Coordinates of all heavy atoms in Angstrom, one line a residue:
S246 N -52.1 41.9 21.1 CA -53.4 41.6 20.6 C -54.2 41.0 21.7 O -53.7 40.4 22.7 CB -53.3 40.7 19.4 OG -52.6 41.3 18.4
S247 N -55.6 41.0 21.5 CA -56.5 40.5 22.6 C -57.7 39.9 21.9 O -57.7 39.6 20.7 CB -56.9 41.6 23.6 OG -57.6 41.0 24.7
E248 N -58.8 39.7 22.7 CA -60.0 39.1 22.2 C -61.2 39.8 22.8 O -61.2 40.1 24.0 CB -60.1 37.6 22.5 CG -61.4 37.0 22.0 CD -61.5 35.5 22.3 OE1 -60.4 34.8 22.1 OE2 -62.5 35.0 22.8
I249 N -62.2 40.2 22.0 CA -63.5 40.8 22.4 C -64.6 40.1 21.6 O -64.4 40.0 20.4 CB -63.5 42.3 22.3 CG1 -62.3 43.0 23.0 CG2 -64.8 42.9 22.8 CD1 -62.3 44.5 22.8
N250 N -65.7 39.8 22.3 CA -66.8 39.2 21.6 C -66.5 38.0 20.8 O -67.0 37.7 19.7 CB -67.5 40.3 20.6 CG -67.9 41.5 21.3 OD1 -68.4 41.4 22.5 ND2 -67.8 42.6 20.7
G251 N -65.5 37.2 21.3 CA -65.1 36.0 20.7 C -64.3 36.1 19.5 O -64.1 35.2 18.7
T252 N -63.8 37.3 19.2 CA -63.0 37.6 18.0 C -61.7 38.3 18.3 O -61.7 39.2 19.2 CB -63.8 38.5 17.0 OG1 -65.1 37.8 16.7 CG2 -63.1 38.6 15.7
A253 N -60.7 37.9 17.6 CA -59.4 38.6 17.8 C -59.4 40.1 17.5 O -60.2 40.5 16.6 CB -58.3 37.9 17.0
V254 N -58.7 40.9 18.2 CA -58.6 42.3 17.9 C -57.2 42.8 17.9 O -56.4 42.3 18.7 CB -59.4 43.1 19.0 CG1 -60.9 42.9 18.9 CG2 -58.9 42.9 20.4
Y255 N -56.9 43.7 17.0 CA -55.7 44.4 17.0 C -55.8 45.4 18.1 O -56.9 46.0 18.4 CB -55.4 45.2 15.7 CG -55.3 44.4 14.5 CD1 -56.2 44.7 13.4 CD2 -54.4 43.4 14.3 CE1 -56.1 44.0 12.2 CE2 -54.3 42.7 13.1 CZ -55.1 43.0 12.1 OH -55.0 42.2 10.9
V256 N -54.7 45.7 18.8 CA -54.6 46.8 19.8 C -53.6 47.8 19.4 O -52.5 47.5 19.2 CB -54.3 46.2 21.2 CG1 -54.3 47.4 22.2 CG2 -55.2 45.1 21.6
V257 N -54.1 49.0 19.1 CA -53.3 50.2 18.7 C -53.2 51.2 19.9 O -54.2 51.7 20.3 CB -53.8 50.8 17.5 CG1 -53.0 52.1 17.2 CG2 -53.8 49.9 16.3
A258 N -52.0 51.4 20.3 CA -51.8 52.4 21.4 C -51.5 53.8 20.7 O -50.9 53.8 19.7 CB -50.6 52.0 22.3
F259 N -52.0 54.8 21.3 CA -51.7 56.2 20.8 C -51.3 57.1 22.0 O -51.9 56.9 23.1 CB -52.9 56.8 20.0 CG -54.2 56.9 20.8 CD1 -54.5 58.2 21.4 CD2 -55.1 55.9 20.9 CE1 -55.7 58.3 22.1 CE2 -56.3 56.0 21.6 CZ -56.6 57.3 22.2
A260 N -50.4 58.0 21.8 CA -49.9 58.9 22.8 C -49.6 60.2 22.2 O -49.2 60.3 21.1 CB -48.7 58.3 23.5
Q261 N -49.8 61.3 23.0 CA -49.5 62.6 22.5 C -48.0 62.8 22.3 O -47.2 62.4 23.1 CB -50.0 63.6 23.5 CG -49.8 65.1 23.2 CD -50.4 66.0 24.1 OE1 -51.4 65.7 24.8 NE2 -49.9 67.3 24.2
K262 N -47.6 63.4 21.2 CA -46.2 63.7 20.9 C -45.7 64.7 21.9 O -46.4 65.6 22.4 CB -46.1 64.2 19.5 CG -46.4 63.2 18.4 CD -46.2 63.7 17.0 CE -46.4 62.7 15.9 NZ -46.3 63.3 14.6
D263 N -44.4 64.5 22.2 CA -43.8 65.4 23.2 C -43.7 66.8 22.9 O -43.7 67.7 23.7 CB -42.3 64.9 23.5 CG -42.3 63.5 24.2 OD1 -43.3 63.2 24.9 OD2 -41.3 62.8 24.1
N264 N -43.7 67.1 21.6 CA -43.6 68.5 21.1 C -44.9 69.2 20.9 O -45.0 70.3 20.4 CB -42.8 68.6 19.8 CG -43.5 67.9 18.7 OD1 -44.3 67.0 18.9 ND2 -43.2 68.3 17.4
V265 N -46.0 68.6 21.3 CA -47.3 69.2 21.2 C -47.7 69.8 22.6 O -47.7 69.1 23.6 CB -48.4 68.1 20.8 CG1 -49.8 68.7 20.8 CG2 -48.1 67.6 19.4
I266 N -48.1 71.0 22.5 CA -48.4 71.8 23.8 C -49.9 71.5 24.2 O -50.1 71.2 25.4 CB -48.2 73.3 23.6 CG1 -46.8 73.6 23.3 CG2 -48.7 74.0 24.8 CD1 -46.5 75.0 22.9
D267 N -50.8 71.6 23.3 CA -52.2 71.5 23.7 C -52.5 70.1 24.2 O -52.1 69.1 23.7 CB -53.1 71.8 22.5 CG -53.0 73.2 22.0 OD1 -53.1 74.1 22.9 OD2 -52.7 73.4 20.8
P268 N -53.4 70.0 25.2 CA -53.7 68.7 25.8 C -54.5 67.8 24.8 O -55.5 68.2 24.3 CB -54.6 69.0 27.0 CG -54.4 70.5 27.3 CD -54.0 71.1 26.0
L269 N -53.9 66.6 24.5 CA -54.6 65.6 23.7 C -54.8 64.4 24.6 O -54.9 64.5 25.8 CB -53.8 65.3 22.5 CG -53.6 66.5 21.5 CD1 -52.7 66.1 20.3 CD2 -54.9 67.0 21.0
Y270 N -54.8 63.2 24.0 CA -55.1 62.0 24.8 C -54.1 60.9 24.6 O -53.4 60.9 23.6 CB -56.5 61.4 24.3 CG -57.7 62.4 24.6 CD1 -58.0 63.4 23.7 CD2 -58.4 62.3 25.8 CE1 -59.0 64.2 24.0 CE2 -59.4 63.1 26.1 CZ -59.7 64.1 25.2 OH -60.8 65.0 25.5
N271 N -54.0 60.0 25.6 CA -53.2 58.8 25.5 C -54.2 57.6 25.7 O -55.1 57.7 26.6 CB -52.2 58.7 26.6 CG -51.2 59.9 26.5 OD1 -50.8 60.3 25.4 ND2 -50.8 60.5 27.6
G272 N -54.1 56.6 24.9 CA -55.0 55.5 25.1 C -54.8 54.3 24.1 O -53.7 54.2 23.5
K273 N -55.8 53.4 24.0 CA -55.7 52.3 23.2 C -57.0 52.1 22.4 O -58.1 52.3 22.9 CB -55.5 51.0 24.0 CG -54.1 51.0 24.7 CD -53.9 49.7 25.5 CE -52.5 49.7 26.1 NZ -52.3 48.4 26.9
L274 N -56.9 51.6 21.2 CA -58.0 51.3 20.3 C -58.0 49.8 20.0 O -57.0 49.2 19.7 CB -57.9 52.1 18.9 CG -57.7 53.6 19.0 CD1 -57.5 54.2 17.6 CD2 -58.9 54.2 19.6
Y275 N -59.1 49.2 20.2 CA -59.3 47.7 20.0 C -60.1 47.5 18.7 O -61.2 47.9 18.6 CB -60.0 47.1 21.2 CG -59.2 47.3 22.5 CD1 -59.3 48.4 23.2 CD2 -58.3 46.3 22.9 CE1 -58.6 48.6 24.4 CE2 -57.6 46.5 24.1 CZ -57.8 47.7 24.8 OH -57.1 47.8 26.0
I276 N -59.4 46.9 17.7 CA -59.9 46.9 16.3 C -60.2 45.4 15.9 O -59.2 44.6 15.9 CB -59.0 47.6 15.4 CG1 -58.8 49.0 15.8 CG2 -59.5 47.5 13.9 CD1 -57.6 49.7 15.2
N277 N -61.4 45.1 15.5 CA -61.7 43.8 15.0 C -60.8 43.4 13.8 O -60.7 44.2 12.8 CB -63.2 43.8 14.6 CG -63.7 42.4 14.2 OD1 -63.4 41.9 13.1 ND2 -64.4 41.7 15.1
T278 N -60.2 42.3 13.8 CA -59.2 41.9 12.8 C -59.9 41.6 11.5 O -59.2 41.6 10.4 CB -58.4 40.7 13.3 OG1 -59.2 39.6 13.6 CG2 -57.5 41.0 14.5
K279 N -61.1 41.2 11.5 CA -61.8 40.8 10.3 C -62.4 42.0 9.5 O -62.2 42.2 8.4 CB -62.9 39.8 10.5 CG -62.3 38.4 11.1 CD -63.5 37.5 11.4 CE -62.9 36.1 11.9 NZ -64.0 35.2 12.2
S280 N -63.2 42.8 10.3 CA -64.0 43.9 9.6 C -63.2 45.2 9.8 O -63.6 46.2 9.1 CB -65.3 44.1 10.3 OG -65.2 44.4 11.7
L281 N -62.2 45.3 10.6 CA -61.5 46.5 11.0 C -62.4 47.6 11.6 O -62.3 48.8 11.4 CB -60.8 47.1 9.8 CG -59.7 46.3 9.1 CD1 -59.0 47.0 8.0 CD2 -58.8 45.7 10.1
A282 N -63.4 47.1 12.4 CA -64.3 48.0 13.1 C -63.7 48.2 14.5 O -63.1 47.3 15.1 CB -65.7 47.3 13.3
L283 N -63.8 49.4 15.0 CA -63.4 49.7 16.4 C -64.5 49.1 17.3 O -65.7 49.4 17.2 CB -63.4 51.2 16.6 CG -63.0 51.7 18.0 CD1 -61.5 51.4 18.3 CD2 -63.2 53.2 18.2
V284 N -64.0 48.3 18.2 CA -65.0 47.6 19.1 C -64.8 48.1 20.6 O -65.7 47.8 21.4 CB -64.8 46.1 19.1 CG1 -65.2 45.6 17.7 CG2 -63.5 45.6 19.5
K285 N -63.7 48.8 20.8 CA -63.5 49.3 22.2 C -62.4 50.4 22.1 O -61.5 50.3 21.3 CB -63.1 48.2 23.2 CG -63.0 48.7 24.6 CD -62.5 47.5 25.5 CE -62.5 47.9 27.0 NZ -63.8 48.0 27.6
A286 N -62.5 51.4 23.0 CA -61.5 52.4 23.1 C -61.4 52.8 24.6 O -62.4 52.9 25.3 CB -61.7 53.6 22.2
T287 N -60.2 53.0 25.1 CA -59.9 53.5 26.4 C -58.9 54.7 26.2 O -57.9 54.5 25.5 CB -59.3 52.5 27.4 OG1 -58.1 52.0 26.8 CG2 -60.3 51.3 27.6
F288 N -59.1 55.8 26.9 CA -58.2 56.9 26.7 C -58.3 57.9 27.8 O -59.3 58.0 28.5 CB -58.5 57.6 25.3 CG -59.9 58.0 25.1 CD1 -60.4 59.3 25.3 CD2 -60.8 57.1 24.6 CE1 -61.7 59.6 25.0 CE2 -62.1 57.4 24.3 CZ -62.6 58.7 24.6
S289 N -57.2 58.6 28.0 CA -57.1 59.6 29.1 C -56.6 60.9 28.6 O -55.7 60.9 27.7 CB -56.2 59.1 30.2 OG -56.6 57.8 30.7
L290 N -57.1 62.0 29.2 CA -56.6 63.3 28.8 C -55.2 63.5 29.4 O -55.0 63.2 30.5 CB -57.5 64.4 29.3 CG -57.2 65.9 28.9 CD1 -57.3 66.0 27.3 CD2 -58.1 66.8 29.6
N291 N -54.3 64.0 28.6 CA -52.9 64.3 29.0 C -53.0 65.6 29.9 O -53.3 66.6 29.4 CB -52.0 64.5 27.8 CG -50.5 64.7 28.2 OD1 -50.2 65.0 29.4 ND2 -49.6 64.7 27.3
L292 N -52.6 65.4 31.2 CA -52.8 66.5 32.1 C -51.5 67.3 32.4 O -51.4 68.1 33.4 CB -53.3 66.0 33.5 CG -54.6 65.2 33.4 CD1 -55.1 64.7 34.7 CD2 -55.7 66.1 32.7
S293 N -50.4 67.0 31.6 CA -49.1 67.6 31.9 C -49.1 69.1 31.8 O -48.4 69.8 32.5 CB -48.0 67.0 31.0 OG -48.4 67.3 29.6
N294 N -49.9 69.7 30.9 CA -50.0 71.2 30.8 C -51.3 71.6 31.5 O -52.4 71.8 30.9 CB -50.1 71.5 29.3 CG -50.0 73.0 29.1 OD1 -50.3 73.8 30.0 ND2 -49.6 73.4 27.9
Q295 N -51.2 71.8 32.8 CA -52.4 72.1 33.6 C -53.1 73.4 33.2 O -54.3 73.5 33.3 CB -52.0 72.1 35.1 CG -52.0 70.7 35.7 CD -53.4 70.1 36.0 OE1 -54.3 70.8 36.2 NE2 -53.4 68.8 35.8
E296 N -52.3 74.4 32.8 CA -52.9 75.7 32.4 C -53.9 75.5 31.3 O -55.0 76.0 31.3 CB -51.8 76.7 32.1 CG -52.3 78.1 31.7 CD -51.2 79.0 31.4 OE1 -50.1 78.7 31.6 OE2 -51.6 80.1 30.9
E297 N -53.4 74.7 30.2 CA -54.3 74.5 29.1 C -55.4 73.5 29.4 O -56.5 73.7 28.9 CB -53.4 73.9 27.9 CG -52.5 74.9 27.3 CD -53.2 76.2 26.8 OE1 -54.2 76.0 26.1 OE2 -52.7 77.3 27.0
V298 N -55.1 72.6 30.3 CA -56.2 71.6 30.7 C -57.3 72.4 31.4 O -58.5 72.2 31.1 CB -55.7 70.6 31.7 CG1 -56.8 69.8 32.4 CG2 -54.8 69.6 31.0
N299 N -57.0 73.4 32.3 CA -58.0 74.2 32.9 C -58.9 75.0 31.9 O -60.1 75.2 32.1 CB -57.4 75.1 34.0 CG -57.2 74.4 35.3 OD1 -57.6 73.2 35.4 ND2 -56.5 75.0 36.2
K300 N -58.2 75.5 30.9 CA -59.0 76.2 29.9 C -60.0 75.4 29.2 O -61.1 75.8 28.8 CB -58.0 76.8 28.8 CG -57.1 77.9 29.3 CD -56.2 78.4 28.2 CE -55.2 79.4 28.7 NZ -54.2 79.9 27.7
L301 N -59.7 74.1 29.1 CA -60.7 73.1 28.5 C -61.8 72.7 29.5 O -62.9 72.6 29.1 CB -60.0 71.9 28.0 CG -59.0 72.0 26.8 CD1 -58.3 70.7 26.6 CD2 -59.8 72.4 25.6
L302 N -61.4 72.5 30.7 CA -62.3 71.9 31.7 C -63.0 72.9 32.6 O -64.2 72.6 33.0 CB -61.5 71.0 32.7 CG -60.7 69.8 32.0 CD1 -60.0 69.0 33.1 CD2 -61.7 68.9 31.3
V303 N -62.4 74.0 32.9 CA -63.1 74.9 33.8 C -63.9 76.0 33.1 O -63.3 76.9 32.5 CB -62.0 75.6 34.7 CG1 -62.7 76.5 35.7 CG2 -61.2 74.5 35.5
K304 N -65.2 75.8 33.2 CA -66.0 76.8 32.5 C -66.3 78.0 33.4 O -66.5 79.1 32.9 CB -67.3 76.1 32.0 CG -68.2 77.0 31.2 CD -69.2 76.2 30.3 CE -70.0 77.2 29.5 NZ -70.7 76.5 28.4
K305 N -66.5 77.7 34.7 CA -66.9 78.8 35.6 C -66.5 78.4 37.0 O -66.7 77.2 37.4 CB -68.4 79.0 35.5 CG -68.9 80.2 36.3 CD -70.4 80.4 36.1 CE -70.9 81.5 36.9 NZ -72.4 81.7 36.7
K306 N -65.9 79.3 37.7 CA -65.5 79.0 39.1 C -65.3 80.3 39.9 O -65.1 81.4 39.3 CB -64.2 78.2 39.2 CG -63.0 79.0 38.8 CD -61.7 78.2 39.0 CE -60.5 79.0 38.7 NZ -60.3 80.1 39.6
P307 N -65.4 80.2 41.2 CA -65.2 81.4 42.0 C -63.7 81.9 41.9 O -62.8 81.0 41.7 CB -65.5 81.0 43.5 CG -66.4 79.8 43.3 CD -65.9 79.1 42.0
N308 N -63.5 83.1 42.0 CA -62.1 83.7 41.9 C -61.1 83.2 43.0 O -59.9 83.1 42.7 CB -62.1 85.2 41.9 CG -62.8 85.7 40.6 OD1 -62.7 85.1 39.5 ND2 -63.4 86.9 40.7
N309 N -61.7 82.8 44.1 CA -60.8 82.4 45.2 C -60.6 80.9 45.3 O -60.2 80.4 46.3 CB -61.4 82.9 46.6 CG -62.7 82.2 46.9 OD1 -63.4 81.7 46.0 ND2 -63.0 82.1 48.2
V310 N -60.8 80.2 44.2 CA -60.7 78.8 44.1 C -59.7 78.4 43.1 O -59.7 78.9 42.0 CB -62.1 78.1 43.9 CG1 -61.9 76.6 43.6 CG2 -63.0 78.3 45.0
R311 N -58.8 77.5 43.5 CA -57.9 76.9 42.5 C -58.3 75.4 42.2 O -58.5 74.7 43.2 CB -56.4 76.9 43.1 CG -55.4 76.5 42.1 CD -54.1 76.2 42.7 NE -54.1 74.9 43.5 CZ -53.2 74.5 44.3 NH1 -52.1 75.2 44.6 NH2 -53.3 73.4 45.0
I312 N -58.3 75.1 41.0 CA -58.8 73.7 40.6 C -57.7 73.1 39.7 O -57.1 73.7 38.8 CB -60.1 73.8 39.8 CG1 -61.2 74.4 40.7 CG2 -60.5 72.4 39.3 CD1 -62.5 74.7 39.9
R313 N -57.4 71.8 40.1 CA -56.4 71.1 39.3 C -56.9 69.7 39.0 O -57.4 69.0 39.9 CB -55.1 70.9 40.2 CG -54.0 70.2 39.5 CD -52.8 70.0 40.5 NE -51.7 69.3 39.9 CZ -50.7 69.8 39.1 NH1 -50.8 71.1 38.8 NH2 -49.8 69.1 38.6
A314 N -56.9 69.3 37.7 CA -57.4 68.0 37.3 C -56.4 66.9 37.7 O -55.2 67.1 37.5 CB -57.6 68.0 35.8
K315 N -56.9 65.8 38.3 CA -56.0 64.7 38.7 C -56.1 63.6 37.7 O -55.1 62.9 37.5 CB -56.4 64.3 40.1 CG -56.1 65.3 41.2 CD -56.5 64.8 42.6 CE -55.7 63.6 43.0 NZ -54.3 63.9 43.3
N316 N -57.2 63.3 37.2 CA -57.3 62.3 36.1 C -58.6 62.4 35.4 O -59.7 62.8 35.9 CB -57.2 60.8 36.7 CG -58.5 60.4 37.4 OD1 -58.6 60.7 38.6 ND2 -59.4 59.7 36.7
I317 N -58.6 62.2 34.1 CA -59.7 62.3 33.2 C -59.7 61.1 32.3 O -58.9 61.1 31.3 CB -59.7 63.6 32.3 CG1 -59.4 64.8 33.2 CG2 -61.0 63.8 31.5 CD1 -60.5 65.3 34.1
D318 N -60.5 60.1 32.6 CA -60.4 58.8 31.9 C -61.7 58.4 31.2 O -62.8 58.7 31.8 CB -60.0 57.7 32.8 CG -58.7 57.9 33.5 OD1 -57.8 58.5 32.9 OD2 -58.5 57.5 34.7
Y319 N -61.7 57.8 30.0 CA -62.9 57.4 29.3 C -62.8 56.0 28.8 O -61.7 55.5 28.5 CB -63.1 58.4 28.1 CG -63.2 59.8 28.5 CD1 -62.1 60.7 28.4 CD2 -64.4 60.4 28.9 CE1 -62.2 62.0 28.7 CE2 -64.5 61.7 29.2 CZ -63.4 62.5 29.1 OH -63.5 63.9 29.4
T320 N -63.9 55.4 28.6 CA -64.1 54.1 28.0 C -65.3 54.1 27.1 O -66.3 54.6 27.5 CB -64.2 53.0 29.0 OG1 -63.0 52.9 29.8 CG2 -64.5 51.6 28.4
V321 N -65.2 53.5 25.9 CA -66.4 53.3 25.1 C -66.4 51.9 24.5 O -65.3 51.4 24.1 CB -66.5 54.4 24.0 CG1 -65.3 54.3 23.0 CG2 -67.8 54.2 23.1
D322 N -67.5 51.2 24.5 CA -67.6 49.8 23.9 C -68.7 49.8 22.8 O -69.7 50.6 22.8 CB -68.0 48.9 25.0 CG -66.9 48.6 26.0 OD1 -65.8 48.6 25.6 OD2 -67.3 48.4 27.2
Y323 N -68.5 48.9 21.9 CA -69.4 48.7 20.8 C -69.8 47.2 20.7 O -69.0 46.4 21.1 CB -68.8 49.1 19.4 CG -68.5 50.6 19.4 CD1 -67.2 51.0 19.8 CD2 -69.4 51.5 18.9 CE1 -66.9 52.3 19.8 CE2 -69.0 52.9 18.9 CZ -67.8 53.3 19.3 OH -67.4 54.6 19.3
R324 N -71.0 46.9 20.2 CA -71.4 45.6 20.0 C -71.8 45.4 18.6 O -72.1 46.3 17.9 CB -72.6 45.2 21.0 CG -72.2 45.2 22.5 CD -73.2 44.7 23.4 NE -73.5 43.3 23.1 CZ -72.7 42.3 23.5 NH1 -71.6 42.5 24.2 NH2 -73.0 41.0 23.3
E325 N -71.9 44.1 18.2 CA -72.2 43.8 16.8 C -73.5 42.9 16.7 O -73.7 42.0 17.5 CB -71.0 43.0 16.2 CG -71.2 42.6 14.7 CD -71.7 41.2 14.6 OE1 -71.6 40.4 15.5 OE2 -72.3 40.9 13.5
K326 N -74.3 43.2 15.6 CA -75.4 42.4 15.3 C -75.6 42.4 13.8 O -75.6 43.4 13.2 CB -76.7 42.9 16.0 CG -77.9 41.9 15.7 CD -79.1 42.3 16.6 CE -80.2 41.3 16.4 NZ -81.4 41.6 17.2
N327 N -75.7 41.2 13.2 CA -75.8 41.0 11.8 C -74.8 41.8 11.0 O -75.1 42.4 10.0 CB -77.3 41.4 11.4 CG -78.3 40.6 12.0 OD1 -78.1 39.4 12.3 ND2 -79.5 41.2 12.3
G328 N -73.6 41.7 11.5 CA -72.5 42.4 10.7 C -72.3 43.9 10.9 O -71.5 44.5 10.3
K329 N -73.2 44.5 11.7 CA -73.1 45.9 12.0 C -72.9 46.2 13.4 O -73.4 45.6 14.3 CB -74.5 46.6 11.6 CG -74.8 46.5 10.1 CD -73.8 47.3 9.2 CE -74.1 47.3 7.8 NZ -73.2 48.1 7.0

Side-chain angles (χ1 to χ4, degrees):
S246 301
S247 188
E248 178 180 317
I249 302 178
N250 301 325
T252 305
V254 292
Y255 300 124
V256 181
V257 173
F259 61 96
Q261 180 173 335
K262 292 180 178 178
D263 292 337
N264 64 334
V265 174
I266 296 174
D267 296 309
L269 296 179
Y270 295 86
N271 301 320
K273 293 183 179 181
L274 305 175
Y275 299 84
I276 301 165
N277 184 283
T278 57
K279 297 178 180 179
S280 65
L281 300 188
L283 179 71
V284 298
K285 185 182 183 71
T287 59
F288 50 101
S289 304
L290 184 64
N291 185 346
L292 304 180
S293 58
N294 188 338
Q295 278 286 327
E296 182 179 351
E297 292 299 318
V298 167
N299 277 356
K300 290 179 183 178
L301 292 174
L302 299 180
V303 181
K304 182 157 184 165
K305 184 177 180 182
K306 72 176 182 67
N308 292 330
N309 67 335
V310 170
R311 187 194 73 190
I312 297 173
R313 182 182 179 86
K315 292 178 65 68
N316 72 275
I317 312 290
D318 302 328
Y319 302 96
T320 296
V321 60
D322 289 325
Y323 299 87
R324 295 190 64 78
E325 179 269 339
K326 185 172 184 179
N327 298 328
K329 296 292 183 180

